[in-house]
Amino acid sequence: MIRVLAIDDEPLALQQIVAYINKIPFLELAAQCQSALEAKAFLEQDTVDAIFCDINMPDLNGMDFIKSLAVPPLVVFTTAYSEYAVEGFRVNAVDYLLKPFGLQDFQRAANRLKERLEGSASTGDALAGAPVVGSPIASGIADDTIFLKTEYRIVKVSIPDICYIEAMSEYLKVWLEGEKKPIVTLLSMKKIEEHLPDYFMRIHRSYIVNLTKIQEVNKNRIIMDQDTYLPIGDMYKETFQAYLDTKFLGK
């Protein structure tokens, strides 16, 4: 059983989380608290494996509460504000539930907690011996494969499937063909560039593009698909134009 602590200052929201916990066979509710301060007092007397924690709470918000713990349990954040997602990655949250969420979303988060607690050792064994470059990326068996750390997982990525890479502060969004959501990983543009083949090009301080995925070039932007337009930065125009000149057929 996974002992969990539920924290939310809204009584109805807390009641819903507790109801979901009771529906998951491998979760055991250790306590429910309506403030981070109440939860802090509980943890001084007891321990849990994981916490379902609201972020927006009076006195001490959930993010600062988790950061204040010397050895924090695994955490799933719950909030109505999507802008906290990146900050959630910063404190290594297992999952991030955007209110209102249903039982299916909660089940997904619970499964991730279970995998994190039971499967971290096997994940490490599976990757043992693979050369590691920094903490979030490892070389794959083949030249066209890399491993990226995202949330609590280490995922294999086929380099040809990468459409483009977007910098976001100290994080990167790696957008893959056919996927609606990117892989978010703590990594620098410089570090990932070292592991990309020559059909990738930096076109902006915030973008690296897979040249084989470009659909159209329109003035100072690259069109990847009908919904994705990437700017070409002034520092990178000359290099990109040189590439176009080698491929352009016409007068």
Side-chain angles (χ1 to χ4, degrees):
M1 296 290 286
I2 301 173
R3 298 186 77 243
V4 299
L5 173 64
I7 312 170
D8 201 305
D9 65 308
E10 299 177 10
L12 289 179
L14 183 60
Q15 182 180 345
Q16 184 68 78
I17 292 173
V18 170
Y20 286 158
I21 290 172
N22 291 333
K23 290 179 182 292
I24 309 297
F26 54 82
L27 295 184
E28 176 187 350
L29 180 65
Q32 52 182 300
C33 302
Q34 286 190 250
S35 74
L37 295 179
E38 182 184 347
K40 200 174 185 70
F42 170 81
L43 291 175
E44 289 174 356
Q45 305 297 324
D46 205 342
T47 60
V48 296
D49 300 308
I51 299 175
F52 287 88
C53 185
D54 186 28
I55 293 178
N56 292 86
M57 294 186 290
D59 299 324
L60 180 64
N61 72 47
M63 201 73 69
D64 290 337
F65 163 63
I66 297 299
K67 290 178 182 178
S68 73
L69 299 177
V71 184
L74 299 180
V75 59
V76 173
F77 283 118
T78 64
T79 184
Y81 302 94
S82 60
E83 63 266 25
Y84 287 109
V86 172
E87 188 69 15
F89 282 108
R90 202 184 305 276
V91 297
N92 200 27
V94 171
D95 208 344
Y96 177 92
L97 294 173
L98 187 63
K99 298 178 180 179
F101 52 85
L103 179 58
Q104 184 176 358
D105 293 324
F106 191 88
Q107 176 77 64
R108 181 200 69 215
N111 288 340
R112 288 182 174 180
L113 283 174
K114 189 171 186 288
E115 291 168 3
R116 176 74 170 266
L117 288 167
E118 297 180 354
S120 57
S122 61
T123 301
D125 292 341
L127 295 176
V132 175
V133 184
S135 59
I137 181 170
S139 299
I141 297 173
D143 289 341
D144 62 352
T145 300
I146 57 176
F147 288 92
L148 295 175
K149 183 177 180 182
T150 178
E151 299 177 343
Y152 67 97
R153 301 172 298 147
I154 297 176
V155 297
K156 184 173 72 172
V157 176
S158 174
I159 293 177
D161 289 342
I162 299 175
C163 294
Y164 67 97
I165 299 164
E166 178 183 359
M168 183 180 59
S169 186
E170 65 264 51
Y171 290 81
L172 298 181
K173 289 182 177 180
V174 181
W175 294 88
L176 302 177
E177 188 171 29
E179 298 292 336
K180 294 182 179 180
K181 294 183 178 181
I183 295 173
V184 180
T185 184
L186 178 62
L187 196 64
S188 69
M189 293 285 265
K190 180 180 180 181
K191 178 62 70 173
I192 201 167
E193 276 186 293
E194 295 173 357
H195 294 268
L196 295 175
D198 57 9
Y199 56 85
F200 283 84
M201 182 179 290
R202 185 83 169 263
I203 60 160
H204 188 276
R205 60 180 300 203
S206 299
Y207 294 99
I208 297 173
V209 66
N210 183 338
L211 298 170
T212 69
K213 305 293 187 183
I214 295 174
Q215 299 298 317
E216 186 178 332
V217 179
N218 188 334
K219 296 182 180 179
N220 292 327
R221 63 181 184 176
I222 290 171
I223 301 174
M224 304 300 291
D225 56 47
Q226 61 181 0
D227 298 316
T228 307
Y229 300 79
L230 306 181
I232 303 172
D234 291 339
M235 290 178 56
Y236 305 92
K237 285 180 182 178
E238 185 175 344
T239 302
F240 183 70
Q241 186 59 51
Y243 162 75
L244 281 183
D245 290 344
T246 66
K247 299 293 183 179
F248 184 71
L249 299 180
K251 296 182 180 179

